[in-house]
Amino acid sequence: MHVRNTRGIIGLFATTLSLPLAGAAQAEAESPGDGWRGLFVNNVTLQQGSKAALPSQPSPDRANLVTRRGARLSDFLQLSFKNGDWTWMAAYSDSRTLGAGNAYSLTNPMTFGVNTVETTDHRGKAVNEKSGLRELAATYDKNGTLLMFGKIDTANWYLADPLFAGDLLHGNDYANAATRVVAPPFPSLALVTKRDYGNGLALTGIAGDAFGNRETLDAGRNLFKGDLAYVLEANYQDQKQHYQLTLNRIDAFHHYDKDAVWPGPGDKAPKVDAVMATASYRFDQHWASFGRLSYARGAGQLEDLNYLAGVRYDRGQFYALLSQSATRVGSSHTPYSRGAKGDYTYVSELTLNYKIHPVATLGLTYDLYSSSGDTLLAKDGGWNGAKRNQVIGLRITSFLPF
């Protein structure tokens, strides 16, 4: 299952912003000179599916919402102050539903199927009120070694692929930034270390709260109980190629964010181990290719194996991305008995982007979902037993550095 059945991207918008903010954060870190800097990212996403989907797993702390629509407004503000080798950073991000009866996302094209926290009625308003994600961190960066500690959205520090995504400053342009088989752990209190060995080789390590409460400054609730998340990622890249190996471990944990628990007092989400291997290659100024293989093992995994291949084509201010994936259902206990163990969910995706301004990108995405079994999973449009679903998404992402 999705470690966090949200994409609450945001709920899970941290996953929606994972690529662009990773690029932005790295750009900030690499910028010379001391003093204040800032960035503001705004995203509006509208989606319409042909079949009804259940955007989140049932929970006593969250209302269930079955919908064909997803609409979200997301904003991210970051301020940083650099003094020599040290940088202090504060950030706030916020996600809101647009319109009544909408989910944060419906198999979100920007985040490839990681669902969001559902919102409806009075519980939906409560989720919106708690949607703010706060970060406070200190960073030491010298001679190729980076150390960051604090309340950090760690999704911004791994699984990025700048070679294939390219236009990182204008939104999460390639939809498969996060895998379907395991969501980033999103620790609320964490340590990030990164070592740049030169010649394109770098190693990143992350340790922190297994999930925690990202929406308040009350961080580390799982960490204090000994429930941690770990990431180890190796990257090699130059101007033409990028190879990445990511190892991910999430201990069994009790506390979600937004004051939710799994799924009730005393219970814990099962632990998860995952491995993700990624390769990207740019052939020329117009064409690039991408592939990923992911596997997750855990008692609570709804999906456990994912294959993905894609291409990108650039022409002037337009660029298009086409990808095909296959994801295996890893459990016989699927929500509302939609889908069965061993079924494969196939997703064909086409995204057309247009840079309407140097700091703004318009994106139109089409996703075709189909199952090798009798029905799609409920989250992908199989709520009424449908075997296929089509989702059209429109997004506008803008980025303003200052």
Side-chain angles (χ1 to χ4, degrees):
M1 64 179 294
H2 296 144
V3 173
R4 166 183 192 196
N5 229 329
T6 148
R7 239 166 205 248
I9 223 179
I10 229 182
L12 216 34
F13 182 59
T15 292
T16 297
L17 284 179
S18 60
L19 269 179
L21 297 187
Q26 292 172 6
E28 285 282 309
E30 294 169 0
S31 298
D34 293 346
W36 289 95
R37 292 181 181 83
L39 64 91
F40 177 74
V41 179
N42 173 266
N43 172 266
V44 177
T45 298
L46 305 174
Q47 295 168 286
Q48 177 69 49
S50 62
K51 303 297 180 181
L54 177 70
S56 183
Q57 66 182 42
S59 169
D61 296 290
R62 298 171 180 174
N64 297 324
L65 176 64
V66 178
T67 183
R68 295 185 182 187
R69 299 190 304 274
R72 182 181 63 246
L73 169 67
S74 299
D75 295 295
F76 177 89
L77 174 66
Q78 181 189 73
L79 295 175
S80 63
F81 179 78
K82 185 177 185 299
N83 184 17
D85 301 325
W86 287 90
T87 300
W88 290 267
M89 181 273 291
Y92 178 81
S93 63
D94 190 271
S95 293
R96 303 280 163 167
T97 55
L98 296 176
N102 284 329
Y104 275 136
S105 70
L106 175 66
T107 54
N108 192 324
M110 291 180 63
T111 55
F112 198 63
V114 174
N115 299 308
T116 72
V117 173
E118 67 286 8
T119 61
T120 185
D121 301 328
H122 66 283
R123 295 187 182 183
K125 294 179 181 178
V127 170
N128 270 343
E129 290 169 0
K130 296 178 181 178
S131 69
L133 188 158
R134 298 165 176 86
E135 295 183 72
L136 292 171
T139 302
Y140 178 78
D141 190 356
K142 187 173 183 178
N143 298 328
T145 298
L146 179 146
L147 296 174
M148 173 182 282
F149 176 78
K151 192 171 188 298
I152 308 164
D153 180 4
T154 57
N156 298 333
W157 291 92
Y158 77 109
L159 279 184
D161 187 4
L163 181 67
F164 188 76
D167 193 23
L168 295 182
L169 298 185
H170 304 298
N172 190 354
D173 294 323
Y174 92 80
N176 307 295
T179 73
R180 288 173 61 95
V181 297
V182 61
F186 302 115
S188 60
L189 191 65
L191 172 69
V192 176
T193 65
K194 183 176 180 180
R195 175 61 182 171
D196 187 346
Y197 294 96
N199 299 318
L201 183 63
L203 188 65
T204 300
I206 302 172
D209 197 341
F211 226 91
N213 189 350
R214 300 179 300 131
E215 281 74 20
T216 74
L217 296 180
D218 180 19
R221 290 184 297 177
N222 291 314
L223 180 68
F224 297 147
K225 295 181 179 296
D227 302 330
L228 281 77
Y230 315 87
V231 174
L232 182 63
E233 181 177 270
N235 283 273
Y236 172 78
Q237 70 178 83
D238 56 29
Q239 293 184 347
K240 278 195 169 184
Q241 54 197 343
H242 180 201
Y243 305 104
Q244 181 181 83
L245 179 64
T246 307
L247 305 177
N248 195 43
R249 166 65 184 261
I250 304 175
D251 289 343
F253 64 91
H254 181 60
H255 292 284
Y256 271 114
D257 51 15
K258 295 180 173 61
D259 296 325
V261 294
W262 176 284
D267 295 330
K268 282 189 173 184
K271 66 181 180 180
V272 179
D273 295 286
V275 57
M276 291 154 275
T278 304
S280 301
Y281 190 84
R282 178 160 288 281
F283 298 97
D284 53 38
Q285 63 178 338
H286 299 300
W287 290 98
S289 63
F290 166 85
R292 173 172 285 161
L293 173 63
S294 308
Y295 175 73
R297 181 180 62 185
Q301 285 299 111
L302 181 59
E303 297 167 297
D304 61 1
L305 184 64
N306 174 256
Y307 307 91
L308 171 69
V311 295
R312 170 174 170 147
Y313 178 75
D314 294 77
R315 174 68 70 175
Q317 291 178 275
F318 287 93
Y319 55 104
L321 298 96
L322 177 65
S323 66
Q324 177 65 53
S325 70
T327 307
R328 186 175 67 184
V329 178
S331 172
S332 57
H333 304 289
T334 61
Y336 302 96
S337 300
R338 302 296 187 261
K341 185 175 182 179
D343 289 353
Y344 275 87
T345 302
Y346 301 102
V347 182
S348 304
E349 180 177 84
L350 173 63
T351 301
L352 179 62
N353 298 280
Y354 177 68
K355 300 177 185 178
I356 57 179
H357 188 273
V359 297
T361 297
L362 177 68
L364 179 65
T365 302
Y366 170 80
D367 291 87
L368 173 62
Y369 288 76
S370 61
S371 175
S372 65
D374 295 329
T375 176
L376 289 166
L377 294 170
K379 68 182 179 62
D380 292 325
W383 172 257
N384 291 321
K387 189 171 181 176
R388 293 178 178 83
N389 187 21
Q390 300 179 75
V391 179
I392 297 176
L394 175 69
R395 68 165 177 82
I396 300 177
T397 305
S398 57
F399 173 88
L400 178 65
F402 56 91

